Amino acid sequence: MPRVNPAILMYHRIADPPLDPWGLSVSPDVFRDQLEVLSKERQVLSMDAMVDHLLHGSLPKDAVAITFDDGYVDNLLVAKPLLEAAGIPATIFLSTASIGQTEEFWWDLLARMIVLLRGSMGCRFVISGQCIVIDLPALEENGAPRSDWRTDSEPQNARERTYLALWSALQRCRPEQREEHMSELQALFAPSMPSPNDFPMSQEQARRLPSDLISVGGHSRRHHPLTTFPPELRRLEIEGCRRDCARIAGVLPTGFAYPHGDRDADTITLVREAGYNWACSTQHRAINRLSFDLYDLPRIAVGQWSGAEMLWRLERLRT
Ligand SMILES: [Zn+2]
C-alpha cells in the first residue's frame, strides 16, 4: 500500500512556450489531465483551508493544494478557466513589481535573446567585475537551438553555456543593476518582438484574478533572493508586496511564497510581521501533519507529468 501524505503543488505556467530552460511550464492538455486525476483521487483544498485543517489537526492525508508562482498572464487566461471548470481552488503568488510590465520576466527574455539567437555575436560583457566572453557563431554553423534544453542537464553548445553564465552573474546582481545590464544586453542583441503570452499579467488582468476559487498570494516585489537584502529593503519587499496585492488585485493576501525558496529566520519573522498567516518554500517534500512550520511549508514543483504519473509521484513523497 503506497504512503499518502498531504502535499502542496507548485506551478509557474500553463503554456507551451518556444523555450523553457527552467522547466516552468505544463501544457494546458497535461494540466487538464492532472486536474481530472486530482479531483477524482485527492481532496484538493485551498491553501487557507489546508492551513486551517493543519492547525486543527484535521488535515486529510490525501489533501493537495495548488499554487502558482510569479504571475504569468497564462495563470489568468489558461489556468483559471481550467481550474474553475474542474471546481478546483488555487493560490497565485504575484511578484508585484512585474505586474503590468510589457516584457517577459528577465530570465525568459535572457533565454530568448541568447539561446534562440540566430545571428552571431562576439563581445565581452562585464557584470559586477566579472567578464563574460560572448562568442556565439551564427546559427547555421551551430545547428538549430534545442528548444527542449533544461538547465538541469549539461549545456551542449555556446548559447546554452553563455545563457547560464549570464544568468548566474545577473542573478547575483542587485535588481536595479540587473535591469541596467538587461537594457545593455537588449541594445546589443536587439531581440525580436516578444509575445504578450509570455508576459506577467497587466494590472487589469491581476484585478480579474481573484474569485471564489482563486486566491492571490505575495511573492515579493522584485523577485530577488530575500536573504541578500538588508533588513529594511527586505521588509519593503515583503510588506510592500502585500500592499501592492491589495491595491492591484483588491485583496489582502493571507500567504506568501519566498522567491527562489530563499529564506532565513529573519525573513520568516518579517513575513509574519507583515500580516501573512503562512508561507511556502520550495522544499521538495510532503507535509508532515504532526510536525510543521506554517511559515516554511514544503512544495512539489510539478512537471509535464500525466495524471497517472502525478499520482505515482505523490504516493512516493516523503515528509
Ligand atoms: Zn518565483
Side-chain angles (χ1 to χ4, degrees), residues 12 69-70 95 107 219 223 258-260:
H12 287 83
D69 282 13
D70 301 344
S95 179
W107 53 87
H219 195 39
H223 204 280
Y258 305 101
H260 307 279

Side-chain angles (χ1 to χ4, degrees), residues 73-138:
V73 66
D74 50 72
N75 294 185
L76 173 79
L77 301 181
V78 184
K80 182 179 173 180
L82 290 173
L83 287 158
E84 294 196 323
I88 287 181
T91 296
I92 297 179
F93 297 107
L94 301 180
S95 179
T96 50
S98 303
I99 299 302
Q101 94 184 15
T102 51
E103 61 180 22
E104 300 126 297
F105 285 100
W106 73 266
W107 53 87
D108 291 332
L109 173 56
L110 186 70
R112 196 163 57 83
M113 278 197 291
I114 310 292
V115 183
L116 295 186
L117 174 74
R118 302 204 67 82
S120 63
M121 175 62 69
C123 65
R124 285 163 189 274
F125 198 78
V126 178
I127 300 174
S128 312
Q130 184 194 348
C131 178
I132 294 167
V133 178
I134 299 178
D135 182 11
L136 305 174

Side-chain angles (χ1 to χ4, degrees), residues 28-42:
D29 284 347
V30 170
F31 185 56
R32 193 183 287 113
D33 183 35
Q34 292 175 347
L35 292 181
E36 205 179 301
V37 166
L38 286 175
S39 68
K40 277 194 205 128
E41 305 288 339
R42 289 290 184 274

Side-chain angles (χ1 to χ4, degrees), residues 195-319:
S195 161
N197 294 336
D198 298 322
F199 289 178
M201 280 174 239
S202 68
Q203 298 217 0
E204 179 271 328
Q205 286 166 329
R207 182 161 286 280
R208 281 159 44 203
L209 200 54
S211 71
D212 289 348
L213 287 170
I214 308 296
S215 333
V216 166
H219 195 39
S220 84
R221 277 186 158 157
R222 292 178 292 174
H223 204 280
H224 196 69
L226 290 170
T227 64
T228 65
F229 281 130
E232 259 326 290
L233 216 47
R234 216 182 296 188
R235 186 185 297 277
L236 273 179
E237 286 285 327
I238 295 167
E239 265 184 25
C241 169
R242 191 156 188 260
R243 285 197 303 270
D244 290 348
C245 285
R247 180 174 51 79
I248 298 169
V251 285
L252 260 180
T254 53
F256 188 80
Y258 305 101
H260 307 279
D262 179 52
R263 70 226 179 271
D264 58 13
D266 290 346
T267 307
I268 288 174
T269 301
L270 287 171
V271 168
R272 185 181 289 123
E273 285 175 1
Y276 296 101
N277 299 331
W278 48 267
C280 292
S281 70
T282 53
Q283 258 199 318
H284 185 95
R285 58 177 178 81
I287 294 175
N288 184 332
R289 290 176 295 168
L290 302 176
S291 166
F292 56 86
D293 179 346
L294 281 188
Y295 288 88
D296 198 359
L297 295 168
R299 284 192 298 171
I300 310 305
V302 178
Q304 187 77 347
W305 309 328
S306 69
E309 182 181 353
M310 169 173 264
L311 270 193
W312 184 88
R313 285 174 179 268
L314 286 175
E315 281 164 4
R316 277 150 191 85
L317 280 179
R318 292 173 184 278
T319 59

Side-chain angles (χ1 to χ4, degrees), residues 32-67:
R32 193 183 287 113
D33 183 35
Q34 292 175 347
L35 292 181
E36 205 179 301
V37 166
L38 286 175
S39 68
K40 277 194 205 128
E41 305 288 339
R42 289 290 184 274
Q43 299 194 47
V44 191
L45 305 175
S46 69
M47 275 302 304
D48 283 333
M50 180 172 261
V51 164
D52 207 45
H53 279 297
L54 251 184
L55 283 173
H56 292 94
S58 56
L59 185 65
K61 64 180 182 175
D62 64 347
V64 162
I66 291 182
T67 67

